[in-house]
Amino acid sequence: MADDLPENAPPGIDPSTPTFARVYDYFLGGKDNFAADREVADMVMQLVPEAPVVAQGNRVAIERAVTYMARDLGIDQFVDIGSGLPTSSNVHQFARAANPDSRVVYVDNDPIVLAHGRALLTETGVATFIQGDLYEPEKIFTDPALTRLLDLSRPVGIVLAAIIHHVPDERDPAGVVRELLPFLASGSHVVLTHLHDSGDDPRVEEAKRILQSGLGGSYFRHSSEVERFMEGLTILEPGVAHVTEWRPAGPAGPLEHPLHTQMVAVLGRKD
């Protein structure tokens, strides 16, 4: 359960308001979270004790996708939009393990994510962290820190890990993804992971309610909806698939827990 100990937060951070980035950090065993975040996470885990495996499965899918892009497709520059808090393994580590020349720009609009990201992930010539909002792609792709590190005339790998499922239908998730594409050169790729409405675990319905009320929106969608978000891209094999099935020969071994069906992954190419 969430504790009642006083917590010190950086200036401008409200520790009483939970955020998905910090709940996700807690699910992954991190320490950059507050009592309000742990309270939401604990309520979910009371219903679905295995909930952290969804976060873990998402991370494995991103590792596989980034490794595939860097190793097999020759992509050596990446933009991770809505990157969340740094973990023990991050996109630039995945990318550089497969291609040592890789460079990564991390983007987030959460002040605590920015503070931690800039302290831990910024590495001259390799990775940098910028403030940006998914709904304002022009500001992201014209940010001087991004354009200094990346050459947008060449293919880029875009990472949208567990972020589009926070975009409500009225904000047009497909349109949000589509508005990124004009800034990308041909040969660029976009990987997207999304909470999946599998409909086969009744406990998940109450967990959905807690996430949506506690975090202001986490939308579980069917794979056919997720596929629609990739309009304008050529979807690569195996299409929209549970993280258990998305390139299972990739890093980190097989994922076999039933709750991994609550997260899907898809990779698309801009032709």
Side-chain angles (χ1 to χ4, degrees):
M1 297 294 293
D3 55 65
D4 296 322
L5 295 175
E7 296 181 294
N8 294 320
I13 303 298
D14 178 7
S16 67
T17 301
T19 71
F20 191 83
R22 298 195 300 262
V23 170
Y24 183 74
D25 174 71
Y26 182 60
F27 280 155
L28 289 174
K31 301 184 183 302
D32 296 313
N33 49 74
F34 299 118
D37 308 300
R38 297 189 289 273
E39 183 175 359
V40 170
D42 286 342
M43 285 192 292
V44 172
M45 288 191 292
Q46 284 178 7
L47 290 164
V48 189
E50 316 93 322
V53 304
V54 179
Q56 294 157 9
N58 173 70
R59 208 66 196 161
V60 170
I62 293 305
E63 179 179 5
R64 291 175 177 177
V66 170
T67 299
Y68 174 67
M69 286 188 276
R71 183 190 62 207
D72 300 327
L73 302 181
I75 292 176
D76 60 6
Q77 43 185 11
F78 296 84
V79 182
D80 184 354
I81 301 176
S83 59
L85 286 158
T87 69
S88 59
S89 53
N90 300 283
V91 167
H92 76 278
Q93 292 159 322
F94 302 150
R96 289 180 71 81
N99 184 338
D101 294 327
S102 295
R103 290 153 292 155
V104 178
V105 174
Y106 295 95
V107 183
D108 210 290
N109 64 356
D110 184 328
I112 196 168
V113 170
L114 290 168
H116 283 274
R118 285 172 173 160
L120 298 175
L121 296 186
T122 298
E123 184 176 346
T124 302
V126 173
T128 194
F129 219 108
I130 67 172
Q131 183 168 11
D133 193 302
L134 177 66
Y135 297 124
E136 299 179 322
E138 184 171 2
K139 290 184 179 180
I140 293 174
F141 290 100
T142 59
D143 188 292
L146 183 148
T147 56
R148 279 195 300 268
L149 190 62
L150 307 184
D151 177 1
L152 294 179
S153 70
R154 299 174 50 242
V156 175
I158 302 296
V159 178
L160 300 174
I163 183 173
I164 299 301
H165 56 226
H166 298 304
V167 179
D169 289 343
E170 56 267 26
R171 293 297 299 264
D172 185 15
V176 168
V177 177
R178 188 167 56 247
E179 288 182 6
L180 302 175
L181 304 187
F183 300 96
L184 308 181
S186 296
S188 294
H189 287 67
V190 177
V191 60
L192 185 157
T193 61
H194 197 291
L195 288 169
H196 181 235
D197 189 359
S198 64
D200 56 6
D201 189 334
R203 302 172 301 163
V204 173
E205 292 305 314
E206 182 63 13
K208 289 180 189 177
R209 186 193 66 76
I210 292 169
L211 286 172
Q212 289 170 355
S213 61
L215 296 174
S218 295
Y219 302 92
F220 289 66
R221 295 180 171 113
H222 190 268
S223 56
S224 60
E225 294 180 87
V226 176
E227 181 175 350
R228 188 171 59 83
F229 300 161
M230 303 295 282
E231 289 176 357
L233 298 164
T234 298
I235 295 177
L236 306 187
E237 293 294 334
V240 180
H242 299 147
V243 291
T244 51
E245 300 166 353
W246 200 88
R247 298 190 178 272
L255 297 168
E256 298 177 349
H257 196 284
L259 279 195
H260 286 134
T261 62
Q262 300 299 330
M263 182 70 72
V264 293
V266 61
L267 177 66
R269 179 185 67 245
K270 179 179 178 179
D271 295 321

